[in-house]
């Protein structure tokens, strides 16, 4: 088996730095750091005194406009009154209804609710401070699902595909090893790094894996059931090429031989030999630095 090793960064699938949709003074913070909340639960509200006063005024005016329209409507159905009076009262009522709806929407914008179920990880301001759009007031996260993204060299662009299984491990969590498929392979090579991005998604039911941790990603890109494999250190090199020492039996003696080889993939401490060796060859893998071709040796097992 041959593997590509790369490293990726863990991110929460559901993560948000929450900021208000309007400016205002923070009236009440309803949660604490570390608290778990459900989707839609109220987290924070801004002062809405000015908006509520406007709503009261519009509601009062709307009641009068509605009564006026109803009376005008009854008269119009009886053929009494002018069309312009009827349309004016109708337009006035509908305009106030739209104004009230707009003010109610502004009031809702003064409330920050949980966008998904999760944990309030950090609260930045305090009550009575001013909050503004674009300036986060809370860091909110759900750790049940995580994504891992990693950059892979373009040399492997033809060897990695969506759906291909990988092994994820974490240096800070030595007992955790997760097998999961690649869900996305970028179609673009980054010109500055000559890499492309891959993405995985994992479940994290115990919340042991945290955002921003580094994950080691092991991707199998080659496997064969039959191969000559020797320790990489046993492969020597001279002006002619790469070779290994072998032991041949001659006249009841073990004599060291020298065989030139063709190598292929290497992984960890082993290298695959594609040419130069035959089945049954005894390759010197220990003590190779103490021998040379033609030297008699004692084979110690």
């Amino acid at each position: 088996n041959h593997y590509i090793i790369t490293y990726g960064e863990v991110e929460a699938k559901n993560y948000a730095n929450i900021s208000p949709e309007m400016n205002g003074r923070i009236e009440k913070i309803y949660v604490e750091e570390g608290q778990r909340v459900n989707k839609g639960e109220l987290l924070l509200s801004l002062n809405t005194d000015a908006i509520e006063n406007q709503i009261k005024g519009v509601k009062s005016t709307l009641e009068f406009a509605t009564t006026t329209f109803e009376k005008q409507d009854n008269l119009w159905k009886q053929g009494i009154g002018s069309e312009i009076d009827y349309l004016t009262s109708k337009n006035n009522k509908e305009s106030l209804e739209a104004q009230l709806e707009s003010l109610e929407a502004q009031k809702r914008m003064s409330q920050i609710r949980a966008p998904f179920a999760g944990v309030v990880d950090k609260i930045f301001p305090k009550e009575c401070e001013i909050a503004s759009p674009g300036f986060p007031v809370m860091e909110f996260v759900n750790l049940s699902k995580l994504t891992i993204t990693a950059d892979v060299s373009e040399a492997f662009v033809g060897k990695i595909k969506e759906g291909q299984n990988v092994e994820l491990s974490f240096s800070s969590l030595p007992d955790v090893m997760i097998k999961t498929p690649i869900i996305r392979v970028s179609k673009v090579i980054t010109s500055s790094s000559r890499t492309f991005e891959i993405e995985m998604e994992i479940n994290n039911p115990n919340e042991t894996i945290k955002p921003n941790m580094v994950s080691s990603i092991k991707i199998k890109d080659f496997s064969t059931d039959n191969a000559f494999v020797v320790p990489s250190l046993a492969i020597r090199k001279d002006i002619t090429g790469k070779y290994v020492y072998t032991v041949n039996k001659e006249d009841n003696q073990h004599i060291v031989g020298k065989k030139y080889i063709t190598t292929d993939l290497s992984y960890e401490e082993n290298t695959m030999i594609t040419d130069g060796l035959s089945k049954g060859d005894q390759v010197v893998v220990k003590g190779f630095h103490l021998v040379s071709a033609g030297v008699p040796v004692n084979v110690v097992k």
Side-chain angles (χ1 to χ4, degrees):
N1 295 323
H2 182 267
Y3 297 89
I4 301 165
I5 305 296
T6 187
Y7 299 91
E9 186 171 318
V10 178
E11 297 177 2
K13 185 175 177 65
N14 290 317
Y15 171 86
N17 276 318
I18 305 174
S19 59
E21 296 181 81
M22 58 185 289
N23 290 311
R25 179 173 57 83
I26 297 173
E27 182 77 17
K28 179 74 174 174
I29 298 174
Y30 298 91
V31 292
E32 298 177 349
E33 290 181 353
Q35 183 175 334
R36 294 181 180 273
V37 298
N38 297 317
K39 181 179 180 179
E41 191 169 330
L42 184 60
L43 306 177
L44 179 150
S45 63
L46 304 179
N47 181 276
T48 57
D49 289 348
I51 295 175
E52 287 176 355
N53 288 334
Q54 291 181 61
I55 289 174
K56 287 180 183 177
V58 171
K59 280 183 175 180
S60 177
T61 307
L62 179 59
E63 287 178 9
F64 178 74
T66 301
T67 302
T68 302
F69 170 72
E70 288 173 352
K71 292 183 179 294
Q72 196 68 44
D73 186 51
N74 288 331
L75 292 172
W76 178 251
K77 288 176 180 176
Q78 298 173 42
I80 302 172
S82 66
E83 183 178 5
I84 192 66
D85 290 338
Y86 168 77
L87 292 176
T88 299
S89 63
K90 181 182 178 183
N91 180 69
N92 190 35
K93 171 180 171 294
E94 291 176 349
S95 177
L96 288 167
E97 286 174 342
Q99 188 177 345
L100 179 62
E101 186 176 341
S102 176
L103 289 170
E104 294 285 2
Q106 288 184 52
K107 184 179 178 180
R108 289 193 297 271
M109 288 168 60
S110 69
Q111 297 179 333
I112 295 179
R113 296 183 178 274
F116 46 81
V119 178
V120 179
D121 195 59
K122 187 73 176 174
I123 301 173
F124 300 109
K126 295 179 173 59
E127 289 182 0
C128 297
E129 291 184 348
I130 300 297
S132 302
F135 293 91
V137 293
M138 290 185 187
E139 186 178 38
F140 194 69
V141 65
N142 184 317
L143 296 179
S144 61
K145 279 191 177 293
L146 304 173
T147 60
I148 296 97
T149 56
D151 293 328
V152 182
S153 169
E154 68 172 325
F156 304 111
V157 71
K159 298 182 178 181
I160 296 178
K161 298 177 176 61
E162 289 183 9
Q164 187 173 349
N165 282 325
V166 302
E167 295 180 9
L168 305 176
S169 58
F170 308 85
S171 59
S172 52
L173 299 170
D175 296 330
V176 176
M177 198 281 288
I178 300 171
K179 291 185 177 181
T180 189
I182 298 171
I183 62 170
R184 181 179 65 85
V185 177
S186 176
K187 303 299 188 291
V188 178
I189 302 293
T190 304
S191 59
S192 58
S193 61
R194 309 311 306 171
T195 60
F196 61 96
E197 190 176 74
I198 61 172
E199 181 179 344
M200 288 68 63
E201 185 176 297
I202 58 173
N203 293 321
N204 187 31
N206 298 321
E207 298 186 354
T208 53
I209 305 170
K210 309 297 183 185
N212 299 321
M213 288 178 68
V214 175
S215 172
S216 176
I217 303 166
K218 196 173 174 182
I219 310 167
K220 185 191 288 185
D221 69 324
F222 176 82
S223 181
T224 180
D225 293 328
N226 297 288
F228 291 131
V229 179
V230 301
S232 300
L233 287 175
I235 300 172
R236 320 299 286 173
K237 188 175 182 181
D238 61 17
I239 194 169
T240 304
K242 295 178 181 178
Y243 65 90
V244 292
Y245 289 123
T246 58
V247 174
N248 307 307
K249 198 167 185 180
E250 300 177 9
D251 299 328
N252 294 323
Q253 281 190 312
H254 291 99
I255 305 297
V256 175
K258 185 177 183 180
K259 282 197 170 185
Y260 286 94
I261 57 172
T262 302
T263 61
D264 198 343
L265 295 172
S266 295
Y267 179 67
E268 290 186 339
E269 298 177 355
N270 297 314
T271 297
M272 184 169 69
I273 310 300
T274 56
D275 190 40
L277 293 179
S278 302
K279 185 177 180 180
D281 284 348
Q282 296 187 80
V283 179
V284 180
V285 297
K286 289 185 179 179
F288 49 81
H289 57 289
L290 301 174
V291 300
S292 59
V295 174
V297 293
N298 292 322
V299 178
V300 179
K301 296 184 179 180

